[in-house]
Amino acid sequence: ATTKLSPYKAEFLKAAIEGGVLKFGSFELKSKRTSPYFFNAGDFYRADLLRAISTAYAKTIIENGSSSSPIEFDIIFGPAYKGIPLATATVDKLADLDPEKYEKKCYSFDRKEAKDHGEGGNIVGAPLKGKRVLIVDDVVTAGTAKREAIGKIRKEGGIVVGILVALDRMEKLPAPSGDDSTPMPSAIGEIRKEYGIPVLSILTLDDIIGGLKGTGVDDDIKRMEEYKAKYKASD
Ligand code: OMP
C-alpha cells in the first residue's frame, strides 16, 4: 500500500474523490457487507469526469497494469447500464491515444430485456460472434455481475479475453454459510482461475489507501484498513 501510484492512477483517484464518485462513510453493499467507502461509477456523468475515467481505462489497457504488452481485443463490452457509457467512452479514448491501433475497434452492450421486434436480439453495437471481447465495468466485489456478463457474451459466440474494472475492492467471495469470518478465496482470483482470463483494474483498495496516506484523512484510512482485514481473501 506504500508504493507510489503512477501519475495516471493518482490523477484518476483525485478526480474520483473531487467528483464525489468515491465516498467515505457507511454503505451497505450488494453483498450486505457494510463498507466505509463506496465507489459509484454512475457518478462520472460530467464531461470532465467521463474523460478522467475513460483516459484511465485506456491507459490501463495500453499499459496492461505494469506487465507485458497491451491486451488484444476486437470489442469493448459494457454491461448495462453502468458499463454502457464506460465502454463507449473508452473505445473513443483509445482511438484518440493510438488511432492506428484502435480506430477500428468496436463497442457493444447488452439489453436488460430482449427486444422481439425491429432488429431484435439481446446486444446493441458490434455483433460478438467469433470476436475477442474485453469487458469494461465499474467495480468488482464478489464478481457475480462479471460472471453474468461472461455468460451473455459466450452465449452470443464472443470470446472473452479479459475484464477491466475501475476498482478492485480486493475482497473474498461470500461464504455459502453467510458467515463473514469464514476464510474464502479472492473474488477476482477465482474469476481469473475459472475462466483463465486476466482481470485488470485501474485502482485497488490498496491503491486508494496508499494514495490517501498523508492527505489528512487518517480516520477514513483506518476504517478502510479494518474493512480490508475483515474481508481479505485467504489465498
Ligand atoms: P460484483 O462484484 O460483480 O458482484 O459487482 C459488484 C457491484 O456492486 C458493482 O457492479 C456495483 O454495482 C456495486 N458496487 C459499487 O458500485 N461500488 C462499490 O464500491 C461497491 C459495490 C458493491 O455493492 O459491492
Side-chain angles (χ1 to χ4, degrees):
T2 50
T3 51
K4 204 166 164 349
L5 292 183
S6 64
Y8 84 85
K9 290 184 189 231
E11 217 167 285
F12 175 67
L13 177 59
K14 188 163 164 263
I17 292 171
E18 285 178 3
V21 175
L22 177 59
K23 291 192 176 75
F24 304 97
S26 181
F27 306 91
E28 187 183 329
L29 305 184
K30 213 163 74 171
S31 54
K32 304 287 175 208
R33 293 173 186 172
T34 303
S35 169
Y37 75 103
F38 194 84
F39 183 93
N40 182 8
D43 285 344
F44 280 104
Y45 48 67
R46 212 172 57 204
D48 60 338
L49 297 173
L50 185 61
R51 284 183 172 180
I53 192 168
S54 65
T55 301
Y57 279 131
K59 291 192 173 172
T60 306
I61 290 168
I62 290 170
E63 295 180 12
N64 198 356
S66 60
S67 57
S68 58
S69 51
I71 187 162
E72 299 295 332
F73 66 92
D74 304 302
I75 299 171
I76 294 191
F77 182 91
Y81 293 99
K82 280 184 190 170
I84 298 172
L86 303 179
T88 313
T90 300
V91 85
D92 180 68
K93 182 60 70 181
L94 282 167
D96 272 347
L97 294 175
D98 186 350
E100 205 179 317
K101 184 165 170 71
Y102 294 109
E103 214 166 45
K104 297 291 193 283
K105 302 299 182 190
C106 301
Y107 74 83
S108 199
F109 58 88
D110 57 317
R111 290 179 198 280
K112 287 262 189 185
E113 285 165 44
K115 194 178 175 207
D116 57 9
H117 58 280
E119 77 279 17
N122 301 311
I123 301 294
V124 182
L128 304 178
K129 195 157 196 287
K131 301 292 185 191
R132 295 169 301 177
V133 181
L134 172 63
I135 298 172
V136 167
D137 207 357
D138 54 1
V139 177
V140 177
T141 305
T144 318
K146 316 305 166 271
R147 287 168 199 276
E148 269 171 42
I150 293 171
K152 279 189 176 174
I153 292 164
R154 288 188 167 176
K155 210 173 135 219
E156 298 289 329
I159 304 146
V160 180
V161 294
I163 300 177
L164 168 60
V165 296
L167 174 63
D168 168 10
R169 295 182 51 101
M170 299 174 58
E171 297 188 28
K172 60 184 178 183
L173 288 171
S177 66
D179 179 358
D180 281 340
S181 63
T182 310
M184 291 293 291
S186 120
I188 275 198
E190 289 304 290
I191 291 181
R192 286 191 183 113
K193 264 192 258 167
E194 198 176 321
Y195 299 99
I197 54 172
V199 183
L200 311 176
S201 66
I202 304 171
L203 296 175
T204 64
L205 174 57
D206 276 346
D207 290 337
I208 295 178
I209 293 172
L212 287 178
K213 289 232 162 100
T215 63
V217 290
D218 294 355
D219 287 352
D220 292 327
I221 293 172
K222 188 163 163 270
R223 284 187 291 140
M224 280 191 285
E225 278 173 339
E226 283 163 7
Y227 183 85
K228 184 188 151 187
K230 183 164 179 192
Y231 291 110
K232 72 171 188 292
S234 58
D235 56 3

